[in-house]
Amino acid sequence: MSGERLIYLPLGGAGEIGMNCYVYGYGKPGEERLIVVDMGVTFPDMDGTPGVDLILPDITWLKENRHRIEAIFITHAHEDHVGAVGHTFETLGAPIVARAFTANIARGKLAEYGVEGKAVRTASKWPETVSYGPFTVGFLPISHSIPESSGLVIDTPAGRVIHTGDFKLDPTPLVGEPWDPALWEEVAAPGVLALVCDSTNVFSRHPGRSETVVGPAVEKLIAEARQMVVATTFASNVARVKTLAEAGVRAGRSICLMGRAMRRMIEAAVETGVLSDFPSVVSPEDAASIPRENLMLLVTGSQGERRAASAQLARGKYHGIELKEGDLFLFSSKTIPGNERGVIRIMNQFSEQGVDVVDDSMGDFHVSGHANRPDLETVHKLVDPQIVLPMHGEHRHLREHARVASAAGRKGMLAVNGMMIELTGNEPRVVEYIDTGRTYLDGSVQIGAMDGIVRDRIRMALNGHVVVTVILDEDDEPLGEPWCDLMGLAETGRSHAPLVDVLEEDLAQFMGRAGGKTLSDDDKLEEGLKRVARQTCQNEIGKKPEVTVVVSRLS
Amino acid sequence: MSGERLIYLPLGGAGEIGMNCYVYGYGKPGEERLIVVDMGVTFPDMDGTPGVDLILPDITWLKENRHRIEAIFITHAHEDHVGAVGHTFETLGAPIVARAFTANIARGKLAEYGVEGKAVRTASKWPETVSYGPFTVGFLPISHSIPESSGLVIDTPAGRVIHTGDFKLDPTPLVGEPWDPALWEEVAAPGVLALVCDSTNVFSRHPGRSETVVGPAVEKLIAEARQMVVATTFASNVARVKTLAEAGVRAGRSICLMGRAMRRMIEAAVETGVLSDFPSVVSPEDAASIPRENLMLLVTGSQGERRAASAQLARGKYHGIELKEGDLFLFSSKTIPGNERGVIRIMNQFSEQGVDVVDDSMGDFHVSGHANRPDLETVHKLVDPQIVLPMHGEHRHLREHARVASAAGRKGMLAVNGMMIELTGNEPRVVEYIDTGRTYLDGSVQIGAMDGIVRDRIRMALNGHVVVTVILDEDDEPLGEPWCDLMGLAETGRSHAPLVDVLEEDLAQFMGRAGGKTLSDDDKLEEGLKRVARQTCQNEIGKKPEVTVVVSRLS
């Protein structure tokens, strides 16, 4: 192969759950032709990213090498896999390849950026393949918690790689394709160089459960409900939405979908033929006039998101519907770590309305979409790759998954975002470290995670903000005294005088003492005023605020 | 009883988990003599209370009625029950009454405010009692996750109330007093008017487990560890700390306690005789020179708190000790909802260090300190009160607990913070609504939750902050053009020019257009500049920031 090599480079998703973006390359070092697998987002939180709208992988490296990118493959339509295709399309320009359902969702995202749908190429499932540069890629059906999730069979001159995407081993997924071990065996038969594998549930020691196990408990719960029934789940879990809807219909209820994401997913599933027998639904407008004991709402917001339908209902009337004493609200979902406070908040709001809330705490109303440890072991064994590269997990998941592989005598390698791994050669090894990170979509602009912008917001939130203004005349003499504006700070402190007065007094004293050297030098003046302001606040209220000094010179 | 009545008034803890503060009163309406049960805190978070140090119950009502308060009883030494005694002592002035271990901790908190220890009266356990005004109160031993947790037997002219405090039914709690049904039966025998009862675990359907069940799994894990062992648990869970330490000693390890809270709790337990046989420990300084395979650290920070020992070790060297490949870190704890992100962060940091992290996800290494539903039913039946008043829970817990009581044919009443309930009369009923809420300890001052201070911080964190400065001369003519300082905002937006330049340009145009009416009126000028600044930011970067306008007039 004359100095050509196969590389694997995770840019997002390896060392975190979310924001998946993996790169494969084949060719001479530095000239490899590239394909990208997934282009996902992750979600901001108040702790680390206040005010941010969405978090994207930093694609600087891809941008610099855009002329080498052959295509972007999307394994499935979850936000952490497809969410960034719209934001990055203009920068990368590469065609997007996905199966029908995923392509439908991807086209919707591109449309928001005015990009035409033909930028997305719809691929058929294995054994059909598409070729881009040195890569021939097939979409291998696998069960997950969204229709048409696919592993990728990536054939290269250096051998076959299987990139699992997100998956579970579900022989009866209700919607979409079941786990088909014979198919996977067939694909593995010629020999697999590397298995790049979902690690999410590596710490779960029991075999995973099928989507079907949720049905009977849901059916019983809804059949016994006396007043209105509202259920939430992940909008993209079309099988679950169907299970819930069918249970509602069997209990004699009209079904109403609430929340844009849920309607969008069901639409896409119907449009692409993934879903052919979803019960007919009523609009939110019509739902309001249906007797509550005959109505079932399926709503977005299983994670307690403030703007989703569940939170709106928790706060009061929404689309003319208001929950009441005796109604039932079902969380057919799990709470993603970090979202607990939001979920608990709406549970308590429902409780205040007299609504009975049921969740999955007993394990009856939700199953995971990811393979548990025994399932991972099954796949390792079946695919029998030379190398196992754990992906889709935090550091602890990847490390554990690599250990699971090693324990069975396989080559497990821990590769995190930014590690470029050469898969050709005797041993997989890191050949380069690429700068990676996060880009924030903030309002309508993208900012870097390290720009200091969000850091400043966090500092203002923790410490408050003091603005000090001074005016100096043409001779660097103060015109009047400095004054202060406070935001996010206590109004009075130790001396019981208004904090703003104490500050202005101390700053005036500083100005009075300051010599010409300080008064004529913006930096020195600013530094001095800042120091005094912080010290005064520390004395008065025990906090050192952020201080902005505005020096105005008449000239 | 000539118009006298017994009242129950939760001021904190009924409708939330944390910040417990309950009031009982007896006497003529409005003149009842009062006792307070517990004076706890709750903890801030970035979502709702950025920059706040501690959250206390709003004790305005108690302050207004301080002349009626006979005493403050503390059921046990958890922060959510005793944490606010120091901050509120000066305001309320009432004596504090607790058993020895709790009193020891309470005295420590008062000492931080320069209050002498004699402000705390040490009470003996039931059958001894203390009398304050119309109340005779006994401390009834009960098992929990801290030594000497006690229910209170509150005898009043209107009958007996049992306030459970936090509890579980543990016949073998390892440290402190076991659950003693005979004792509780004896106390209940004369008849109980009201049971005010812990609701935390009402949704857990299995009977609770004893502290002893943790021992064997811990013992095995530590015996098999090859390198350093570090374990964390709640510092106040003295029994657990002992279990962990003893397992370490049996595995031939020296024990080192790290973290102020843990050392303080063990000290208090030893000083008060609660703990007589704790293994000898080495100092952190000495620990650094012990071979790692012979060392076990017991550390604070089971909730991932940034400043605790666990987080320090996760970040690197702490007290000269650094974790390495092959070390073991055990979370013998559960993650309190809302703390998941912090805990996961340190787990991944340990993973990066090569440390094996073990937690309670399989249920082996922690048991709860609260009574589960079947245990609550046991206590209801045993105490057989006329009324069950659920406390210590969010709304959903209180509601469910009241339903559990009603389902067994008892009078269960849902009373949340601020509801003054009369317990005398045919039916318990709300006789008054008291304003309650939260007070924030912020730096060295207390601020109200509704003061707008924290709201402003959150707004700055979400939206960024623009400061606009304009100077006008004696004739209300602008001196130069307005200028801007930005904090927490993107530097460039749609037009690719610096945002600050675009803002200053637009603001200058506004000033140029503004007539004398606007220029001479601070409010109008401020409003106009704010509107322009927000609109320009919206156009450029898609965000509407907080804007502070500083108008300086030379006069």
Side-chain angles (χ1 to χ4, degrees), chain A residues 469-473 477-480 483 552-554, chain B residues 471 552 554:
Chain A
T469 308
V470 289
I471 310 183
L472 298 104
D473 66 15
E477 286 299 319
L479 260 176
W483 72 100
S552 324
R553 292 183 187 276
L554 305 183
Chain B
I471 308 182
S552 324
L554 304 185

Side-chain angles (χ1 to χ4, degrees), chain B residues 300-312 315 342 345-346:
Chain B
T300 52
S302 69
Q303 302 305 304
E305 303 94 325
R306 277 182 183 277
R307 293 177 207 164
S310 64
Q312 306 266 14
R315 285 196 289 269
R345 182 175 52 238
I346 70 171

Side-chain angles (χ1 to χ4, degrees), chain B residues 89-289:
Chain B
F89 184 81
E90 200 190 340
T91 307
L92 301 181
I96 292 162
V97 189
R99 292 180 67 193
F101 176 80
T102 309
N104 184 303
I105 298 295
R107 283 188 192 106
K109 297 199 173 288
L110 291 176
E112 290 171 24
Y113 281 76
V115 179
E116 281 184 54
K118 66 183 179 187
V120 181
R121 172 173 173 184
T122 303
S124 299
K125 67 182 177 183
W126 181 268
E128 289 194 41
T129 59
V130 292
S131 291
Y132 283 93
F135 298 98
T136 298
V137 179
F139 284 81
L140 196 59
I142 185 95
S143 43
H144 183 41
S145 48
I146 190 169
E148 288 193 352
S149 198
S150 302
L152 298 180
V153 183
I154 303 171
D155 281 324
T156 76
R160 177 167 284 187
V161 173
I162 295 185
H163 182 104
T164 65
D166 292 6
F167 76 101
K168 66 185 288 189
L169 306 187
D170 192 340
T172 52
L174 297 181
V175 171
E177 298 124 334
W179 159 240
D180 182 351
L183 179 67
W184 279 64
E185 228 166 309
E186 173 199 317
V187 169
V192 172
L193 173 61
L195 177 70
V196 182
C197 189
D198 181 0
S199 309
T200 315
N201 280 2
V202 67
F203 289 110
S204 298
R205 289 171 182 276
H206 308 292
R209 297 181 300 157
S210 168
E211 182 62 31
T212 52
V213 309
V214 174
V218 165
E219 183 106 13
K220 181 163 184 290
L221 183 76
I222 296 175
E224 290 172 0
R226 301 202 176 163
Q227 296 297 318
M228 201 189 309
V229 174
V230 188
T232 186
T233 187
F234 301 96
S236 56
N237 193 332
V238 173
R240 186 71 51 78
V241 176
K242 183 169 180 249
T243 296
L244 293 165
E246 287 177 349
V249 168
R250 275 198 286 273
R253 292 173 182 268
S254 296
I255 307 300
C256 172
L257 302 180
M258 273 192 180
R260 190 171 153 273
M262 194 168 277
R263 287 200 304 274
R264 176 79 187 86
M265 280 291 167
I266 297 300
E267 256 172 44
V270 170
E271 278 172 28
T272 55
V274 165
L275 191 62
S276 53
D277 49 354
F278 194 78
S280 65
V281 298
V282 298
S283 70
E285 293 63 39
D286 292 342
S289 61

